[in-house]
Amino acid sequence: MKGHPSMRSVLFNAYYWVLSIFYGLSAAFAALAPGREAVTFTLRLYSRRMLWALDTLAGVKVQVKGQENLPSGPCIIAAKHHSWGDGFVMFAHVDNLSFVTGDHLEKFPLVGAILKKFGAIVVDSCGGPEAREALSKSAAQVAAEGRRILIYPEGHLAAPGEHFRYRTGVYYMSKDFGLPVVPVATNLGCFWKQQDKAKTPGVATIEFLPALPQGLEKDDFMRLMQTTIEGRTNELIAQARGEPVKPSVLVEWDGKKNVAATAQPATASLLP
């Protein structure tokens, strides 16, 4: 489909909301069925339709690389989070998936019931010891069922070239349940930035990287996870923009938007 990028974005955004309302209601009805299969099927179909629209209407084709790095059994998928589109890619391409999300999603009508039936791990968005305990308890059940756990270690949508402080929940889940951690890099934010309505046509990449070594101490694990995800993400961003690779900049969240904290590269030491 050809057309001006702004018009293509308008078409996609209209389709996005129509599809979201339709499949949101469908998932709510599916949640009434026994088990999680009906909800899982509905969310996967929704994600695949959305990726089709992203390609056909908005001109953003998403290529997925490195799926051979995903273990056949349970694991933790620690992904860079550039865009709302990241989740669609995961649901469309990864089998037997659960994900970690903040409790802010439960404020939307019907969403709480859908998340519960799907088996999402819902934690307090404000963090703290209670959130860590809830995360551990819920993750234990998901791991026992042999599912893959998707988590965004930064906890926020980061703009391309930026990163938030990586949180330690991934480390504790991996340690507590002996699960391998598969990092994921992306440059999707170069084409669909965070929650922006505007889309930039092109070929985006989401790449599953080799699992991190197990048995590392917390600081070493956190440093390696961050440098692995940020390093490959920065390379993918450079490829998309045709620019030299640049280190990402640490930012903080003021409750509404990203705010620069320091021009600290992704290889810097991490706080616990």
Side-chain angles (χ1 to χ4, degrees), residues 101-125:
T101 182
D103 56 3
H104 62 285
L105 288 180
E106 293 186 323
K107 68 181 181 182
F108 297 103
L110 305 178
V111 173
I114 296 171
L115 293 176
K116 183 177 180 180
K117 180 52 70 78
F118 182 73
I121 301 170
V122 181
V123 298
D124 188 341
S125 298

Side-chain angles (χ1 to χ4, degrees), residues 68-96:
E68 67 277 6
N69 290 317
L70 276 174
S72 58
C75 66
I76 298 169
I77 300 172
K80 185 69 180 178
H81 200 14
H82 270 175
S83 163
W84 279 2
D86 296 331
F88 295 132
V89 176
M90 292 297 175
F91 286 126
H93 290 278
V94 180
D95 293 325
N96 205 17

